[in-house]
């Protein structure tokens, strides 16, 4: 009898230990899932911040290049003036005529500068309005910058679309509504929506390749701006560039993430801009 009791107690102990082990294993598995999800979120957040840093570095480089171009233009103008003075001296051109020519050239240059300054000022205001309207979280995945008189809004694909799809997700609605409001406020600007992908091949029933994917994504944004947010479709153009317009190395995960983007490009109407410039002075 005692032996049977001892055996029963031993079996109960083994079963208890087994249950305890299973419970600990389940707890470990749950904790592991939680840590894995947290790690993935941290990686995505880090990648977004790295992309933002890279974008700011590009803007700084663009500003340095613009400064260098302005310096080069000034030096070229100075050489032209020096040459004119030299020619005037050699050909006995009257000082009055030379002064008139210089004044005419300077007047045209001032006109061009005023037109460019007006365009740049409007674009900077547009950029500031966009940036202020977006939240800190949105700014992690939306980059706004002005390059050579054109406003570029770059949106990460994971913010806009369902994975491997051209369908816009619910998460993008608030951001697109803010961008649409700014677009509607600036009625004299045309808007190009440009889809871009990384170089990873895709093949689905209704998506043959990255050309299809980039075009379909751009078309989805255009139709959302038109039907959901009331942007005039006459101002909108949709285009896709597939994997052939990269801004980073596709050999890294960060590079691929930066290349998977949709750009909303806002630019003054070309005909109105040319009317502002007018005709160049006759030589």
């Amino acid at each position: 009898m005692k032996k049977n009791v001892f055996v029963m107690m031993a079996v109960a102990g083994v079963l208890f230990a087994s249950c305890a082990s299973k419970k600990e294993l389940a707890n470990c598995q749950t904790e592991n899932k939680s840590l894995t999800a947290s790690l993935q979120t941290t990686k995505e957040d880090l990648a977004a911040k790295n992309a933002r840093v890279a974008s700011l570095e590009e803007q700084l480089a663009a500003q340095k290049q613009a400064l260098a171009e302005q310096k080069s233009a000034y030096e070229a103008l100075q050489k032209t003036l020096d040459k004119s003075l030299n020619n005037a001296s050699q050909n006995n051109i009257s000082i009055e005529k030379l002064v008139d020519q210089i004044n005419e050239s300077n007047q045209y240059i001032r006109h061009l500068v005023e037109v460019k300054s007006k365009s740049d000022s409007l674009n900077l205001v547009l950029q500031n309005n966009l940036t202020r309207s977006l939240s800190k979280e949105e700014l992690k995945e939306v980059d706004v910058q002005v390059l050579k008189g054109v406003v570029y809004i770059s949106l990460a694909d994971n913010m806009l679309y369902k994975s491997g799809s051209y369908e816009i997700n619910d998460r993008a609605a608030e951001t697109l509504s803010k961008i649409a409001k700014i677009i509607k406020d600036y009625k004299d600007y045309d808007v190009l929506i440009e889809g871009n992908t990384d170089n990873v091949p895709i093949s689905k029933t209704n998506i043959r390749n990255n050309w299809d994917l980039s075009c379909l994504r751009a078309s989805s944004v255009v139709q959302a701006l038109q039907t959901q947010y009331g942007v005039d479709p006459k101002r909108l153009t949709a285009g896709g560039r597939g994997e052939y317009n990269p801004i980073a190395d596709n050999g890294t995960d960060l590079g691929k993430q930066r290349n998977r983007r949709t750009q909303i490009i806002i630019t003054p109407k070309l005909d109105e801009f040319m009317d502002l410039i007018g005709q160049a002075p006759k030589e």
Side-chain angles (χ1 to χ4, degrees):
M1 184 69 179
K2 291 183 179 180
K3 183 177 181 180
N4 290 339
V5 171
F6 177 77
V7 170
M8 290 176 65
M9 291 178 63
V11 170
V14 170
L15 291 174
F16 180 78
S18 177
C19 291
S21 297
K22 288 181 179 179
K23 186 175 181 180
E24 289 178 359
L25 178 60
N27 290 338
C28 288
Q29 289 174 337
T30 301
E31 185 178 359
N32 184 57
K33 288 182 180 179
S34 176
L35 290 173
T36 300
S38 177
L39 177 61
Q40 183 61 30
T41 300
T42 302
K43 284 182 177 179
E44 291 177 357
D45 187 52
L46 178 61
K49 289 179 178 177
N50 287 338
R52 180 62 175 162
V53 169
S55 174
L56 292 173
E57 289 175 345
E58 287 177 359
Q59 291 185 51
L60 178 60
Q63 290 174 354
K64 288 181 178 178
Q65 182 180 352
L67 182 61
E69 289 174 355
Q70 290 178 355
K71 183 179 179 181
S72 178
Y74 174 79
E75 291 174 350
L77 178 60
Q78 186 63 52
K79 288 180 181 179
T80 300
L81 292 176
D82 292 343
K83 184 177 180 180
S84 297
L85 289 170
N86 187 47
N87 289 339
S89 175
Q90 292 178 359
N91 299 322
N92 296 320
I93 298 176
S94 67
I95 296 298
E96 291 79 5
K97 185 177 180 179
L98 179 61
V99 169
D100 289 341
Q101 291 177 351
I102 293 174
N103 286 337
E104 185 179 359
S105 296
N106 286 339
Q107 183 178 1
Y108 179 65
I109 291 171
R110 283 196 297 271
H111 178 61
L112 290 180
V113 170
E114 288 174 0
V115 170
K116 187 176 186 305
S117 297
K118 181 179 179 181
S119 175
D120 288 347
S121 297
L122 285 172
N123 286 333
L124 286 172
V125 170
L126 192 156
Q127 180 191 28
N128 290 335
N129 288 343
L130 274 169
T131 303
R132 282 199 298 268
S133 70
L134 299 173
S135 67
K136 290 182 179 180
E137 289 302 314
E138 288 171 321
L139 284 173
K140 292 179 181 179
E141 298 174 307
V142 180
D143 180 43
V144 183
Q145 57 181 298
V146 175
L147 295 175
K148 296 183 178 180
V150 178
V151 179
Y152 292 84
I153 309 169
S154 187
L155 302 100
D157 73 319
N158 59 347
M159 188 274 289
L160 273 178
Y161 314 104
K162 298 175 182 177
S163 179
S165 170
Y166 56 87
E167 295 181 13
I168 295 177
N169 61 34
D170 297 335
R171 182 173 162 226
E174 185 175 354
T175 303
L176 282 180
S177 68
K178 293 176 181 178
I179 294 174
K181 183 181 183 305
I182 298 295
I183 291 174
K184 290 165 68 176
D185 287 343
Y186 289 80
K187 300 182 185 298
D188 294 331
Y189 285 69
D190 283 330
V191 183
L192 168 64
I193 313 299
E194 181 184 277
N196 295 270
T197 70
D198 58 25
N199 64 348
V200 177
I202 183 171
S203 180
K204 293 189 174 183
T205 304
N206 59 340
I207 305 176
R208 294 169 296 182
N209 49 43
N210 283 329
W211 277 115
D212 278 0
L213 180 60
S214 63
C215 292
L216 288 167
R217 284 182 166 180
S219 178
S220 292
V221 174
V222 162
Q223 292 179 67
L225 290 174
Q226 175 190 352
T227 60
Q228 297 180 36
Y229 306 111
V231 177
D232 184 355
K234 295 178 181 178
R235 299 173 56 196
L236 299 172
T237 301
R241 303 191 67 176
E243 64 198 69
Y244 302 103
N245 184 37
I247 57 173
D249 182 8
N250 274 309
T252 66
D253 290 340
L254 175 59
K256 288 177 181 178
Q257 182 181 29
R258 293 193 62 209
N259 290 333
R260 295 192 302 267
R261 70 200 187 281
T262 295
Q263 287 190 307
I264 300 177
I265 304 171
I266 305 175
T267 180
K269 294 182 184 294
L270 183 59
D271 54 346
E272 295 179 5
F273 186 70
M274 295 306 295
D275 288 341
L276 281 173
I277 292 178
Q279 297 293 324
K282 296 180 181 180
E283 295 182 359

